[in-house]
Amino acid sequence: MAAATDDAGDSNEMIRVVSSDGEHFEMPEAAANLSLVLRHMIEDDCADAAGIPLAVVAAKPLAKIVDYCTKHAAKSSGLTIEEAEELKRFDAEFIEVDTDMLYDLLVAADFMGVEGLSKLAVQRTADLIKGKTPEQNRETFGIVNDFTPEEEEEICKENEWAFQITKPPSRLC
Amino acid sequence: MADASAEGRRCMDGIAALPEDVVLEVFSRVGSVKDLFMFAVTCRRWLRRFTDPAFLRGLCPGQGEEGHRARLLGFFFQQTRFVRCERMIKMRMTQHTSVSAPTFLPAPGSPLGPMDRALTSFVADDDGTFNYAEPLAARCGIVLMQLVPRTEPMTATSHLLLGLCNPITGERHVLPPLESYGIPRYLTSYAIITAADSDLDGKQQRPSSSGRFTFSQLLLTTQHKDDYKLYLYSYSAATCSWRAPTMCLDGRRFSLVGERSAVVHHGVAHWLCIDLVTSRAAPDDYLYKLSVEVRTARVSLTKLPVRAGGSPLLCVSRDSKLSVACVYPVHVRVWTQLGGEGGDDTPAPWLRTVIRIPMAVPYPNYSLLCQPCEKFDFNRGSMLVLYRSSGVFILDLEKKVMEKVMDCFLSLFSDKLTLNRTSVAYEMDLVEFFVLQLGGLCRESTGKKCEEFACSVMP
């Protein structure tokens, strides 16, 4: 993947990035600017034909991030209501990923300083925690239960309030 | 799934391997303490982290050095003004839609979420009782509310209807009406008592894990219009009933001052009152303390050997000593009782310190000092100050610093009509809450650390 021509000074320039596992990607400069890290590198003329190496971002999440930034850069200013709605739908679909990808996105967006994506991924993770029982959380996040049955019982007993899924209707005395 | 990063993480559970700041960001967005609890008890590793004060502090912003700001989760207030007359009651009975439960306004970065929300989003309220509730006070996570009568026979002041709930744990109590046999009377003060308070025998300070945040008793005083006497009532959650009232103060001689909500200290509820008779002759020497022992309901009235003045407020210092803060426009005189742990029979000396109210954060139109404000005890030697038109501040009476919490309470003090509306500061130390609730369970793994912390945070 080394096909881009170098038109320095053009605002439509494509920025090349390289994932930790050596895959090359490119995106418009406006998209790259959504990442704080990339923007600063572009400003300091560190973006060259060889591509910006991103040592902690693997190809799979990087492909998603390039997707995200490209979409958001194209619709950055002066959004109509429909466009904003569409972007929202895009985000909602975009973040429907398995937890492994979600963790990768969290780390990568944090590292690259893509604020919108960071927020999106954090909120998605938080939403996965909401309203779950411990068992459901273990399933979702692949956590191994290492409590003994006695300990589990003690946890339930000590924290009855948290485990009452259906609260008593009312305590009219 | 072949990426190196995912591979490397598989040895541990994925979410635990995320950078600390990302994990904290995720948890602080969950917006529900209960949901965090359900996550904390998934495995030993998470249980350990959720009982580690350092980790927990990261969850609540504003911990700073003293963590005062982090304890303020937000405010409860009622947007609707309930007029207590028969016509309005009839109207309310037919128009169910026109009422709303008290609103929770979160402090910035509150773990209870970024948005305003209704009290009933925290607590189940199938019968809509809390739609007609006016928050009065909060303590240890428990909110006390006066309920507005919804049926005609209970109009005016002849009945007092009260409810309590803990929005964090979902605990909920609707108290049987307090009848007064036709004599109008007014609620003059109250004290929310937790199970931990009732367990205390005055000296003992062992933290009983969950009792700290569990409602056990309500003490309140009312004043009768005809004879000016103050009566003490107590309600017990265990028996679901009111005890017969006792006369506790002669309203012709004494008048309660400061906060209506008691300072509960070592198993005793305290209020300040002034001697109306001597205050005319001796303007500095009229401050008394009305105390009710929680376990026995024994009432005592003690003269405080302090030079009073300004607007007095009862507080508890960081090292758990009772103190009186006399607040003047530009300075505060703080009297702290030395030694004598709750012993009213052996008078302990009171030490005076004076602090100037520091110029807090610069603010446009800075004229704080002459603005009307409300002051509340905020525990651990600090005081919450609500300036009507600029913002909410926490004044540390020991460090002598003032910290801004949030901007002008637009939604709380927006118009003249709502000026006399009470907004109740909702304070709870979530670090302490998690450690006390879960600390006992990880005792084997983290050893004494949790226990020691639990002791050190008990006031």
Side-chain angles (χ1 to χ4, degrees):
Chain A
M1 288 177 85
T5 52
D6 202 357
D7 280 342
D10 190 344
S11 63
N12 292 324
E13 196 184 337
M14 296 301 274
I15 299 296
R16 304 161 132 254
V17 286
V18 185
S19 71
S20 61
D21 39 0
E23 252 189 78
H24 288 245
F25 295 86
E26 53 183 38
M27 60 182 140
E29 188 175 326
N33 274 335
L34 289 180
S35 152
L36 216 60
V37 168
L38 294 183
R39 199 178 81 206
H40 287 178
M41 290 195 78
I42 294 164
E43 279 169 7
D44 295 336
D45 292 323
C46 296
D48 51 25
I52 299 170
L54 295 166
V56 301
V57 189
K60 276 180 91 178
L62 190 54
K64 289 279 283 182
I65 292 174
V66 169
D67 244 21
Y68 175 91
C69 291
T70 309
K71 181 78 180 179
H72 276 254
K75 309 238 176 208
S76 56
S77 56
L79 286 183
T80 62
I81 297 169
E82 294 88 63
E83 280 171 330
E85 282 293 313
E86 202 224 306
L87 211 53
K88 241 180 163 174
R89 269 200 304 278
F90 168 83
D91 279 357
E93 234 168 82
F94 176 89
I95 206 66
E96 278 288 329
V97 292
D98 62 28
T99 46
D100 273 335
M101 176 56 92
L102 193 58
Y103 303 146
D104 284 341
L105 286 177
L106 279 168
V107 174
D110 187 51
F111 170 75
M112 292 172 69
V114 187
E115 207 197 330
L117 180 57
S118 269
K119 274 196 180 148
L120 185 65
V122 162
Q123 193 57 57
R124 162 77 178 170
T125 318
D127 289 344
L128 287 177
I129 296 173
K130 279 184 194 170
K132 296 267 167 72
T133 63
E135 197 44 53
Q136 287 168 327
N137 273 324
R138 288 182 195 121
E139 217 169 279
T140 310
F141 296 100
I143 299 169
V144 180
N145 182 4
D146 52 2
F147 291 117
T148 62
E150 295 79 42
E151 283 172 323
E152 273 209 282
E153 199 180 311
E154 197 191 339
I155 291 171
C156 286
K157 217 177 76 204
E158 288 275 309
N159 296 285
E160 237 172 78
W161 61 272
F163 290 90
Q164 283 171 345
I165 305 297
T166 46
K167 290 169 188 148
S170 81
R171 274 174 68 176
L172 265 171
C173 307
Chain B
M1 300 278 177
D3 351 327
S5 56
E7 203 62 56
R9 266 201 314 269
R10 198 138 323 133
C11 330
M12 338 199 239
D13 52 273
I15 192 166
L18 292 172
E20 183 95 342
D21 54 332
V22 175
V23 170
L24 288 171
E25 184 71 27
V26 167
F27 287 136
S28 60
R29 291 221 160 223
V30 170
S32 148
V33 174
K34 182 181 161 179
D35 288 342
L36 289 178
F37 242 81
M38 299 311 243
F39 195 88
V41 298
T42 49
C43 71
R44 280 175 207 275
R45 182 210 302 270
W46 283 111
L47 186 64
R48 246 189 329 266
R49 287 182 98 174
F50 273 92
T51 46
D52 173 11
F55 174 79
L56 290 167
R57 271 183 212 117
L59 264 180
C60 319
Q63 283 284 353
E65 220 173 297
E66 296 307 324
H68 292 315
R69 198 152 62 83
R71 283 189 288 128
L72 183 67
L73 302 183
F75 290 87
F76 280 103
F77 63 95
Q78 174 56 271
Q79 231 141 13
T80 314
R81 269 166 60 87
F82 297 113
V83 181
R84 289 165 172 78
C85 70
E86 279 187 35
R87 194 172 58 84
M88 288 302 289
I89 286 169
K90 263 190 200 149
M91 209 179 87
R92 282 199 286 271
M93 283 170 70
T94 49
Q95 300 179 343
H96 293 288
T97 49
S98 64
V99 290
S100 61
T103 305
F104 176 70
L105 176 76
S110 171
L112 300 187
M115 309 284 280
D116 288 15
R117 53 195 280 199
L119 172 80
T120 43
S121 73
F122 295 98
V123 185
D125 186 44
D126 304 332
D127 53 359
T129 305
F130 290 169
N131 284 348
Y132 300 87
E134 293 168 334
L136 295 174
R139 184 174 169 258
C140 296
I142 303 159
V143 183
L144 169 69
M145 291 162 291
Q146 182 159 9
L147 307 176
V148 178
R150 290 160 70 190
T151 50
E152 286 166 68
M154 293 205 216
T155 49
T157 44
S158 62
H159 280 71
L160 276 174
L161 290 174
L162 297 156
L164 294 113
C165 69
N166 185 330
I168 301 266
T169 63
E171 188 186 0
R172 176 188 194 277
H173 302 266
V174 175
L175 275 43
L178 196 57
E179 290 168 48
S180 68
Y181 312 105
I183 311 160
R185 68 172 152 196
Y186 309 98
L187 198 53
T188 46
S189 68
Y190 21 77
I192 300 165
I193 307 294
T194 66
D197 294 323
S198 333
D199 289 347
L200 287 175
D201 57 9
K203 302 267 187 295
Q204 196 192 352
Q205 273 194 65
R206 285 285 306 158
S208 88
S209 62
S210 50
R212 273 279 282 145
F213 307 96
T214 310
F215 171 66
S216 109
Q217 275 188 64
L218 178 69
L219 301 179
L220 58 87
T221 63
T222 64
Q223 184 155 16
H224 288 224
K225 207 179 172 187
D226 57 345
D227 61 0
Y228 300 102
K229 278 177 186 147
L230 247 72
Y231 285 89
L232 174 77
Y233 291 81
S234 73
Y235 172 83
S236 151
T239 60
C240 287
S241 63
W242 293 97
R243 228 185 289 181
T246 49
M247 214 277 273
C248 65
L249 205 62
D250 181 353
R252 281 165 305 187
R253 167 115 193 244
F254 294 100
S255 171
L256 290 166
V257 291
E259 268 188 278
R260 285 169 170 237
S261 183
V263 164
V264 185
H265 183 244
H266 295 169
V268 184
H270 303 280
W271 294 272
L272 282 181
C273 54
I274 52 171
D275 183 335
L276 296 169
V277 178
T278 58
S279 69
R280 280 182 222 122
D284 292 332
D285 188 27
Y286 51 78
L287 212 53
Y288 283 74
K289 180 173 61 111
L290 175 68
S291 308
V292 177
E293 208 175 272
V294 168
R295 284 198 324 152
T296 58
R298 193 173 66 90
V299 181
S300 60
L301 189 67
T302 324
K303 189 168 193 304
L304 296 178
V306 303
R307 246 187 96 214
S311 43
L313 184 73
L314 209 51
C315 294
V316 176
S317 72
R318 192 174 291 111
D319 52 356
S320 192
K321 294 204 161 67
L322 210 56
S323 63
V324 178
C326 301
V327 188
Y328 294 88
V330 201
H331 78 289
V332 185
R333 184 192 297 155
V334 187
W335 294 95
T336 309
Q337 187 173 28
L338 298 174
E341 290 286 289
D344 284 349
D345 357 347
T346 49
W350 291 67
L351 177 79
R352 182 177 74 161
T353 50
V354 173
I355 66 170
R356 287 181 69 99
I357 296 179
M359 287 291 182
V361 190
Y363 194 80
N365 311 322
Y366 191 85
S367 56
L368 281 185
L369 303 175
C370 52
Q371 287 171 11
C373 65
E374 285 175 50
K375 304 157 217 83
F376 305 96
D377 170 36
F378 199 57
N379 295 325
R380 303 192 197 159
S382 69
M383 192 169 93
L384 192 70
V385 191
L386 269 65
Y387 290 102
R388 281 265 148 94
S389 50
S390 60
V392 180
F393 295 79
I394 294 172
L395 177 62
D396 190 311
L397 297 171
E398 283 150 60
K399 292 253 155 117
K400 309 187 179 185
V401 288
M402 188 130 136
E403 189 182 9
K404 181 167 178 178
V405 181
M406 58 204 282
D407 263 329
C408 177
F409 255 19
L410 273 180
S411 47
L412 294 187
F413 299 132
S414 52
D415 57 72
K416 278 185 194 142
L417 263 181
T418 53
L419 266 184
N420 57 359
R421 175 169 62 195
T422 45
S423 45
V424 168
Y426 190 57
E427 179 227 345
M428 191 155 153
D429 187 335
L430 285 176
V431 177
E432 179 191 59
F433 180 69
F434 272 98
V435 172
L436 285 180
Q437 296 281 335
L438 294 172
L441 302 165
C442 66
R443 202 156 287 154
E444 320 87 66
S445 40
T446 45
K448 281 169 72 185
K449 203 168 128 202
C450 294
E451 227 176 308
E452 275 165 19
F453 177 79
C455 290
S456 73
V457 295
M458 281 293 288

